[in-house]
Every structure is written in structure tokens, then in C-alpha cells.
Amino acid sequence: GHDALENLAAAARSFGDNSPELFATVESLAGVTETLAENDEDVTQFMESLAEVSEDLAGESDELEAALEAIARADLARQFRGELIRAGDPPYEAARRVWNGAIDRRPALVARCTGVADVRAAVRFARERQLVVAVRGGGHNVGGTATCDGGIVIDLAPMKGLRVDPVTRTAQAQPGLLWGEVDRDTQAFGLATPGGIVTHTGIGGLT
């Protein structure tokens, strides 16, 4: 026990120059080591107590992390007009599904965006937590790139705004639209736009 504590103290001292607080802690540890070295039984008891304290701190750390994450989600919810769906929520199973039924991934959060501000809020939330991000348009990619495990799906499906200008023969379309929805409105003006031939593919491609 004494040798292990001495080795720990020596290793920790190597970092002491970069942190006065760490150096002070190491000095205290070294003092405790010298005091306990004369009695191996005391060393054993000390190490057992230290392990118990570490376990308690780990539990508190997990609780703190969960609390901070809940606060972060609440902050996102205040900025978000669309729907935020987590595992256990009634819409979750449907929200995580994509066209290829063989893909079975479980994102931590599905953010169904209603506009640009929602997209920005979801991207910022993911970036700050270094989450994996998947972007879903029509969910039609055979490889399942529109979903992920443990990350966030930025679901653009609710964004279906479409404005057709028959004079300039142009259209402005939001990314949640499917080709069948675009064709229906453009054809009302005798117009068509090149794109996929499958009506339920998103206009953003196989996302």
C-alpha cells in the first residue's frame, strides 16, 4: 500500500508545476502517505475510505450531469417552436423511423423544425454538446443517413412552405417538401421542375 501511494504521489507531482492547486493537493497526499506508511492496516483502511468517497462523488457527478442536461433541454425548448421528441415520448417510434425498415437506430433527440430559427437552435445545441447530427428531409436514403444512434436528428419534414411565381417561372421551396408535393403545386401553373421521379423522395435528395 505504501509503495502504491508513493508512486501515485510521484506521478501527480510531475503535473504540479502546471497547477498550484494540484501541487498543494499532492503535498497533502504525500504527507498522508508518510504518516500512514508505518502501519499497512491504516493504509488499507485509508484506501477503502478513499474508494467510498470516490464512489459517492461519482454518483453525485452523474446526478449533476443529468440535472445540467435537463436544464439545457429546457433552454432549447424555450427557443424552439417545433416539436422535441425523446425516447419514451409517444411519437418517438414513428419519429425515428426512416424509409428503409432495416435501419433501426435510436437518436437521443428528434428536433422537428418549423423554420430557420429552429434549425439554428438545434445545430447550436448539438455543437455545444458534440452530438452526432443527422439531417432528415424525406428520410429516403437507403443507408439510413437521416437518423443516428445517440445523437440528434434535425427533422426538416414540417418545413413545407412553397411559393410558385408563374411570371418568373421559379419556385421557392422549403427542405421538408417531397417531390410529389412540389409537382402538385407547380403543375397548377403548367410548370415542372427537374427532380426525382419518386413522389415520396425529399427535394433535398436522399436525406
Side-chain angles (χ1 to χ4, degrees):
H2 173 243
D3 290 343
L5 284 171
E6 286 290 356
N7 291 338
L8 176 61
R13 273 199 184 93
S14 65
F15 298 98
D17 292 339
N18 297 322
S19 172
E21 294 83 0
L22 176 59
F23 185 76
T25 301
V26 170
E27 286 298 317
S28 297
L29 177 61
V32 172
T33 302
E34 292 172 1
T35 301
L36 296 177
E38 299 177 358
N39 191 324
D40 285 341
E41 184 178 349
D42 287 345
V43 173
T44 301
Q45 292 176 354
F46 171 74
M47 294 301 290
E48 289 175 351
S49 298
L50 183 61
E52 291 176 1
V53 170
S54 297
E55 290 176 3
D56 290 342
L57 290 176
E60 291 178 4
S61 176
D62 291 342
E63 292 175 4
L64 177 60
E65 184 175 348
L68 290 174
E69 187 60 27
I71 292 171
R73 285 196 301 267
D75 184 54
L76 174 62
R78 282 192 293 271
Q79 305 172 49
F80 204 84
R81 286 195 310 166
E83 188 177 12
L84 296 171
I85 304 171
R86 294 182 297 160
D89 292 343
Y92 179 77
E93 290 302 319
R96 74 181 184 90
R97 252 182 240 125
V98 290
W99 174 78
N100 182 359
I103 303 298
D104 185 24
R105 295 175 186 158
R106 305 189 70 84
L109 182 67
V110 178
R112 292 177 57 82
C113 302
T114 59
V116 175
D118 281 356
V119 175
R120 288 170 61 90
V123 169
R124 184 167 54 249
F125 180 85
R127 183 180 64 237
E128 290 172 352
R129 285 151 191 80
Q130 299 183 342
L131 297 175
V132 174
V133 173
V135 179
R136 174 174 178 152
H140 206 274
N141 184 276
V142 69
T145 56
T147 187
C148 59
D149 278 320
I152 179 172
V153 172
I154 299 178
D155 189 352
L156 307 177
M159 298 175 63
K160 292 185 178 294
L162 176 62
R163 180 178 180 180
V164 181
D165 187 337
V167 176
T168 60
R169 300 170 67 84
T170 59
Q172 295 180 341
Q174 289 190 317
L177 285 161
L178 308 180
W179 275 119
E181 295 166 334
V182 173
D183 290 342
R184 183 184 61 228
D185 281 14
T186 55
Q187 288 171 13
F189 297 94
L191 301 173
T193 184
I197 61 173
V198 179
T199 59
H200 53 276
T201 299
I203 64 171
L206 298 177
T207 57

